[in-house]
Amino acid sequence: MRIDLAAQARAAGVRRDRIEMREITPTQAQQSDLARLYVAVVRVWAIGVRERVLPAYRRSLAEQRASDSLTIDRAGEVEVEIEAVEGEAVRSIFTFRGLFQAWAGAMQRWHMGKVISQLRYAADVDLSTQIHAGDVQETMEDVVARNVALVRNVSDQTRGRISDIVFRGLQSRTPSREVAKEINAALQLGRKRSLRIAMDQTQKLSASLDRDRQLQLGMKKFEWVHSGKIHYRPEHLARNGKVIPWNSEIGKKDPPGFQPFCGCKAKGVLEL
């Protein structure tokens, strides 16, 4: 629902020529909560490797050495165990969807509360009965679908690495302890990627909510606030402090927080 904030602010007696809504920055705790959801899927692979894949690998390797050849049946046993773990990972992704929806819903409510609180102070307007979660339903559905796809990709990538390590190990008759070290390194890659995705997706959801709420309130422009990161995009730093229309090329295609790992924010601007 569109809200005419300018009219409500003028009716409340605001005489300034513009209203600004400060940038809303996600907390480290919110990012960490999402990271735990992603890492839980990698943990399924870690447990499966320890309890199923490595024991099957040891049996296959022992039989290979005894028969001086790699038999299809024994290699197949390892594949069966990998597929079994993959099934558990798929079930964990279904669990992830529900937990992510809860996380994103909490994030949305927190963000909405920040918007209401800021405008109560800046514009002397109470939006608590006018602004609702349903106003950003499309964004929330998109972000859920995107993150389910991302966590599925993390799982698939982890499976691919583990399979490659195990079957190369059988071909080379690599001792199980060496294979275990390689698999642990692969799992660490999955964990690190999960942490990076959680950081990026927390920022992206926040940025999407910034855009949606500002446009809902009639804020046609925003002020670019640079993230201050050491590794930054020069063009983003050059925009710091500039007021940019949401319907401009930048506003449509490269707004704050939408590029990978961009931590820039949009400060809402409403001209009265």
Side-chain angles (χ1 to χ4, degrees):
M1 182 184 72
R2 295 286 179 179
I3 297 172
D4 191 345
L5 179 60
Q8 293 188 43
R10 285 193 293 267
V14 175
R15 296 292 177 262
R16 300 188 302 278
D17 60 354
R18 79 179 199 174
I19 293 172
E20 295 183 352
M21 188 166 69
R22 298 190 311 277
E23 62 272 21
I24 300 173
T25 304
T27 67
Q28 182 62 47
Q30 289 166 331
Q31 179 182 312
S32 297
D33 287 344
L34 180 55
R36 277 191 287 272
L37 301 186
Y38 269 92
V39 170
V41 177
V42 180
R43 190 176 300 116
V44 169
W45 280 103
I47 294 171
V49 164
R50 183 177 68 247
E51 297 181 353
R52 306 187 71 145
V53 178
L54 283 176
Y57 178 85
R58 294 187 188 100
R59 290 192 297 271
S60 296
L61 187 62
E63 180 166 318
Q64 177 188 353
R65 287 170 174 169
S67 62
D68 199 32
S69 66
L70 173 59
T71 65
I72 295 175
D73 287 342
R74 300 312 293 171
E77 181 190 355
V78 177
E79 179 65 19
V80 165
E81 295 300 341
I82 291 175
E83 289 178 356
V85 179
E86 184 177 28
E88 294 171 3
V90 169
R91 288 189 287 275
S92 76
I93 291 170
F94 282 113
T95 300
F96 172 91
R97 176 187 284 274
L99 294 173
F100 181 85
Q101 286 174 324
W103 175 86
M107 180 86 165
Q108 187 282 136
R109 290 189 295 274
W110 170 83
H111 188 278
M112 183 171 64
K114 291 288 187 181
V115 171
I116 293 170
S117 177
Q118 282 199 33
L119 293 177
R120 186 179 291 121
Y121 174 79
D124 199 22
V125 172
D126 184 3
L127 299 177
S128 58
T129 61
Q130 302 177 56
I131 191 169
H132 307 286
D135 303 329
V136 294
Q137 185 62 33
E138 185 175 342
T139 290
M140 299 302 288
E141 290 174 355
D142 288 347
V143 78
V144 169
R146 174 59 176 157
N147 277 267
V148 169
L150 282 169
V151 78
R152 185 178 292 117
N153 183 260
V154 169
S155 180
D156 290 346
Q157 194 175 69
T158 302
R159 184 206 194 282
R161 289 184 177 128
I162 291 171
S163 295
D164 180 62
I165 291 167
V166 167
F167 291 114
R168 278 193 295 104
L170 286 173
Q171 290 173 354
S172 304
R173 300 187 181 186
T174 306
S176 61
R177 63 180 179 276
E178 295 300 323
V179 167
K181 288 180 182 178
E182 285 190 59
I183 291 177
N184 185 60
L187 291 168
Q188 287 298 329
L189 288 174
R191 292 187 186 98
K192 288 177 181 178
R193 185 177 176 220
S194 294
L195 296 177
R196 291 195 302 271
I197 290 174
M199 177 179 66
D200 187 48
Q201 289 301 305
T202 301
Q203 177 60 39
K204 279 182 168 52
L205 175 55
S206 176
S208 295
L209 292 172
D210 288 343
R211 177 200 58 199
D212 289 357
R213 291 304 187 189
Q214 289 176 27
L215 290 173
Q216 179 186 13
L217 295 167
M219 295 182 172
K220 299 178 180 180
K221 300 178 181 179
F222 64 91
E223 180 181 327
W224 192 290
V225 181
H226 187 253
S227 65
K229 289 184 176 180
I230 296 175
H231 303 291
Y232 59 86
R233 294 174 175 83
E235 64 273 23
H236 286 191
L237 179 60
R239 296 171 191 166
N240 188 47
K242 293 184 178 179
V243 175
I244 301 170
W246 276 112
N247 65 357
S248 66
E249 193 75 6
I250 290 174
K252 290 177 181 178
K253 296 185 177 180
D254 187 23
F258 280 72
Q259 289 284 345
F261 306 106
C262 173
C264 298
K265 298 295 294 180
K267 180 193 291 185
V269 176
L270 178 64
E271 295 178 345
L272 300 178

